[in-house]
Amino acid sequence: MAKVTDLVKRVLVGRALRSGQLHEQLLPKRIALPVFASDPLSSVAYAPLEILVALSVAGVAAYHFAPWIAVAIVVLMFTVVASYRQTVHAYPSGGGDYEVAMTNLGQNAGLTVASALMVDYVLTVAVSVSSGVDNIGAAIPFVAEHKVGVAVSMVVLLTVMNLRGIRESGGIFAIPTYAFVVGVLGMIAWGFFRLGVFGDDLTAPSADFELHAEQDGSALAGLALAFMLLRAFSNGCAALTGVEAISNGVPAFRKPKSKNAATTLALMGVIAVSMFVGVIALALISGVKAAENPQEQLIIDGQPAPPGYTNEAILPQVAAAVFGHDSTGFVFISAITALILFLAANTAFNGFPVLGSILAQDRYLPRQLHTRGDRLAFSNGIVLLSGFACLLIFVFNANPSALVHLYIVGVFVSFTLSQIGMVIHWTRLLKTETDRQARRHMIRSRAINGFGAVFTGLVLVVVLVTKFLLGAWIVVLAMPVLFVLMKGIRGHYDHVASELEITEDYEPTMLPARNHAIVLVSKIHKPTLRALAYARATRPSMLEAVTVGVEGDEARKLQDEWERRGIPVPLKMLDSPYREITQPILDYVKHLRRRSPRDVVTVFIPEYVVGHWWEHLLHNQSALRLKARLLFKPGVMVTSVPWQLHSSDRLKGRPEPFAPGAVRRPWHQTVKEEEQLKG
């Protein structure tokens, strides 16, 4: 069974890597870009459409606000990218927002950022995979009918790919990510070339739809207009999700790490902004229409939109306008868009495990999350992220429209607190810095981070106001739960460390006066004899065998056989009128401890080692229960003496070498060999 499991693991994950090979897993910039930036790059597939959906409340006339909202988002994107370029230079250890907040704002702020990022990473996987399934489901009915199963299967596939290591998974994901970038930028360039050079008209499939406002556009003014614009802006801010992942992944870059991470950030910002602006411009020019409530607002061919109709994705619509419907370009953009939405989840698979590892190192999460797996990836963090994402997909039925409202709250919490922390960081350094050039650099950096803190803070307020009742309240509730959980884990670790610490007034435990050894006996067989031999080899002060007499006849037979074999260890028979096995032994051990408190009691338990899972159900149950009870008794040591059954032999068909001491040569053979050597 173990051999089969190991074979499956090797096939899925690959051969194990030595710790010294960690440097081979470091990423060049060309691989790091698709690994860490697939989420913000893929947001061009839905962020522009979300802006139009929010504006549709006031009808097509409100679309003229879209360019200004896009400009605001572009300014925000460049601000955040510039701010994080300061962060990766100042804090290159990979803690990112968490480390900045923890160092400069204190524990509570650091844990707030950590909880926000963890929630957002889980949502990134759930939203990205659900969106990808939604896109494919529009073309393949089977996928639409089994959305949850397909989405969970995709998460499992991404999990296995990431368990193979960041370098290998990055190489796999690089090709489709670059294909998406080249395809979208090529579509934008060809679209504007047709407009500017050929003077062609671009017409989207939804251009002929009639869009009716939910409210009279002329009556929409004041607070209602402001709320609509703010909601459109907050929807478009989905374009910024995942920007922080690079600051968390600086250790994964090749040297010089900070410089390469900052360069990758700049490249990501330029590419994401270019695609975002180009797509929303072509969408407006080609007449793309989308509605908040399609059945009530859209008129298609003179009839209201049919039940179940959903807005068509924006990239296929623009591709149809630029390349023509069912053309090669249209098919390529549609296919690569669905694929990149799946791969966008990879940003979270690289950010969450690293953050979990740092939190585990700081004792805010279980220490298992700090352990690297066979392929030097943080395997436990990857599996944990996968489990939570699958749970969200199941609860929300893989519906991206329901999940998207939970999105970006955590991102802007971390953005804002991180930028405030960086302002404090630069202010602290300025107090001691005397070099004029260095001070000018610090003042400029502080200004960038200060502007970023104000801007992202305002966006956070907008997001909370516009999305709270639509589902963001779940995130607002989940963050304090994680916060309290991490505080509790740290409190436990601190309590245990304090309890185990060797203080100056600590007196080492005195040696026990005697060692009273007990060998538990159920019947006389090979495991019992091995346990007796091992117990005698430890040379305890007192040794006895103990059995529980449940059945009178069997107990007498055991006593007779014991005496007949002449076993040189006294056998003590414990009475059990209620047919219990565990309690009489516990009572006897307690009696020994009470009689001689300075003695230590060692209990030797013979156990079978089995090779099949079902054999565990048939053997060792009494031993397991007894060990579990004895471990809570002070002054009692429990020793398992294993006996390997044939089913446990993993080397079937091959002779297994004898263990040291397992075979002894006769004394006369040893003497003869010594005489031959002397001769």
Side-chain angles (χ1 to χ4, degrees), residues 111-122 352 355 359 364-366 384 388 474-490:
L111 293 182
T112 300
V113 168
S115 60
L117 285 174
M118 291 172 70
V119 170
D120 190 71
Y121 281 138
V122 174
F352 183 96
L355 177 61
L359 287 167
Y364 290 111
L365 287 179
L384 185 65
F388 280 123
I474 298 176
V475 177
V476 175
L477 182 64
M479 285 172 50
V481 171
L482 273 176
F483 181 93
V484 173
L485 178 64
M486 288 189 285
K487 279 257 191 178
I489 292 173
R490 176 57 186 264

Side-chain angles (χ1 to χ4, degrees), residues 6 39 43 86 123 140 227 241 327 338 341 343 392 398 454 489 495 509 585 632 662:
D6 189 62
D39 184 20
S43 63
Q86 314 300 319
L123 284 167
I140 305 176
F227 185 83
T241 55
S327 64
L341 285 171
L343 300 186
L392 266 183
V454 173
I489 292 173
H495 176 74
T509 305
I585 296 173
F632 289 93

Side-chain angles (χ1 to χ4, degrees), residues 61-139:
Y63 279 8
H64 74 275
F65 290 112
W68 301 106
I69 293 172
V71 169
I73 292 171
V74 168
V75 172
L76 178 61
M77 171 68 85
F78 281 136
T79 301
V80 171
V81 168
S83 299
Y84 275 108
R85 281 172 57 85
Q86 314 300 319
T87 301
V88 297
H89 285 294
Y91 294 92
S93 62
D97 293 342
Y98 163 72
E99 185 179 2
V100 173
M102 181 68 75
T103 303
N104 299 291
L105 299 175
Q107 182 192 60
N108 290 339
L111 293 182
T112 300
V113 168
S115 60
L117 285 174
M118 291 172 70
V119 170
D120 190 71
Y121 281 138
V122 174
L123 284 167
T124 295
V125 177
V127 171
S128 298
V129 172
S130 298
S131 298
V133 170
D134 214 38
N135 273 264
I136 295 178

Side-chain angles (χ1 to χ4, degrees), residues 503-633:
T503 57
E504 293 183 359
D505 58 346
Y506 173 77
E507 295 183 5
T509 305
M510 296 179 61
L511 292 176
R514 291 177 301 176
N515 179 14
H516 191 130
I518 297 173
V519 178
L520 300 185
V521 177
S522 60
K523 63 176 65 175
I524 300 176
H525 49 20
K526 292 177 181 179
T528 298
L529 296 180
R530 173 177 285 185
L532 288 168
Y534 179 68
R536 293 177 64 192
T538 63
R539 299 186 178 183
S541 306
M542 184 179 298
L543 174 62
E544 62 180 337
V546 174
T547 187
V548 179
V550 177
E551 298 289 341
D553 292 340
E554 290 186 5
R556 281 191 295 272
K557 289 179 182 178
L558 178 64
Q559 183 75 48
D560 294 342
E561 186 179 358
W562 195 272
E563 294 174 356
R564 181 175 58 81
R565 289 181 177 274
I567 298 174
V569 176
L571 176 64
K572 185 174 184 62
M573 190 78 63
L574 301 179
D575 187 33
S576 179
Y578 296 102
R579 300 162 303 282
E580 282 190 286
I581 295 177
T582 303
Q583 194 58 45
I585 296 173
L586 294 173
D587 292 340
Y588 183 63
V589 170
K590 190 184 300 182
H591 165 72
L592 294 177
R593 287 284 300 151
R594 190 183 300 114
R595 187 181 67 185
S596 302
R598 293 184 58 191
D599 290 0
V600 65
V601 178
T602 303
V603 181
F604 293 88
I605 304 177
E607 288 190 55
Y608 303 144
V609 178
V610 299
H612 303 104
W613 65 267
W614 51 267
E615 290 180 292
H616 288 283
L617 304 175
L618 305 177
H619 302 286
N620 298 323
Q621 298 304 310
S622 298
L624 289 173
R625 288 196 301 270
L626 186 59
K627 278 198 296 185
R629 299 286 296 276
L630 288 172
L631 289 174
F632 289 93
K633 303 293 182 183

Side-chain angles (χ1 to χ4, degrees), residues 276-299:
F276 178 78
V277 171
V279 168
I280 201 167
L282 288 178
L284 293 173
I285 292 171
S286 62
V288 171
K289 293 185 179 67
E292 180 84 13
N293 299 300
Q295 287 74 30
E296 299 177 6
Q297 293 181 259
L298 287 180
I299 303 297

Side-chain angles (χ1 to χ4, degrees), residues 172-423:
I172 296 171
F173 295 147
I175 295 175
T177 303
Y178 281 121
F180 174 76
V181 170
V182 171
V184 173
L185 291 179
M187 177 186 70
I188 294 169
W190 179 243
F192 282 110
F193 185 82
R194 285 186 60 190
L195 288 169
V197 177
F198 296 149
D200 294 342
D201 291 329
L202 303 183
T203 305
S206 61
D208 295 330
F209 294 177
E210 295 180 31
L211 177 61
H212 294 172
E214 283 192 353
Q215 301 180 28
D216 186 359
S218 60
L220 196 64
L223 290 177
L225 177 62
F227 185 83
M228 182 193 71
L229 296 177
L230 290 175
R231 184 160 173 252
F233 175 71
S234 66
N235 284 1
C237 285
L240 280 80
T241 55
V243 173
E244 79 290 341
I246 292 178
S247 67
N248 293 330
V250 177
F253 283 81
R254 285 182 179 174
K255 295 181 179 180
K257 295 178 181 291
S258 295
K259 181 180 178 182
N260 288 337
T263 303
T264 305
L265 263 169
L267 287 172
M268 179 207 68
V270 171
I271 295 172
V273 165
S274 300
M275 292 195 299
F276 178 78
V277 171
V279 168
I280 201 167
L282 288 178
L284 293 173
I285 292 171
S286 62
V288 171
K289 293 185 179 67
E292 180 84 13
N293 299 300
Q295 287 74 30
E296 299 177 6
Q297 293 181 259
L298 287 180
I299 303 297
I300 303 174
D301 296 330
Q303 300 293 327
Y309 177 87
T310 56
N311 296 309
E312 187 178 345
I314 194 166
L315 284 182
Q317 289 207 63
V318 174
V322 172
F323 298 117
H325 204 280
D326 294 332
S327 64
T328 302
F330 170 80
V331 173
F332 175 79
I333 292 295
S334 299
I336 202 67
T337 298
L339 181 59
I340 196 65
L341 285 171
F342 286 125
L343 300 186
N346 197 56
T347 296
F349 274 104
N350 287 287
F352 183 96
V354 173
L355 177 61
S357 169
I358 295 171
L359 287 167
Q361 189 176 13
D362 292 345
R363 298 183 295 178
Y364 290 111
L365 287 179
R367 291 176 179 172
Q368 293 89 332
L369 293 176
H370 185 57
T371 305
R372 291 184 183 270
D374 287 352
R375 301 288 293 181
L376 300 177
F378 294 110
S379 303
N380 292 329
I382 292 172
V383 173
L384 185 65
L385 171 63
S386 173
F388 280 123
C390 289
L391 180 63
L392 266 183
I393 289 170
F394 178 78
V395 170
F396 286 90
N397 200 33
N399 183 0
S401 299
L403 286 164
V404 75
H405 296 300
L406 283 65
Y407 217 16
I408 79 174
V409 174
V411 171
F412 280 96
V413 169
S414 62
F415 282 172
T416 304
L417 290 177
S418 173
Q419 301 315 308
I420 294 173
M422 287 301 295
V423 171

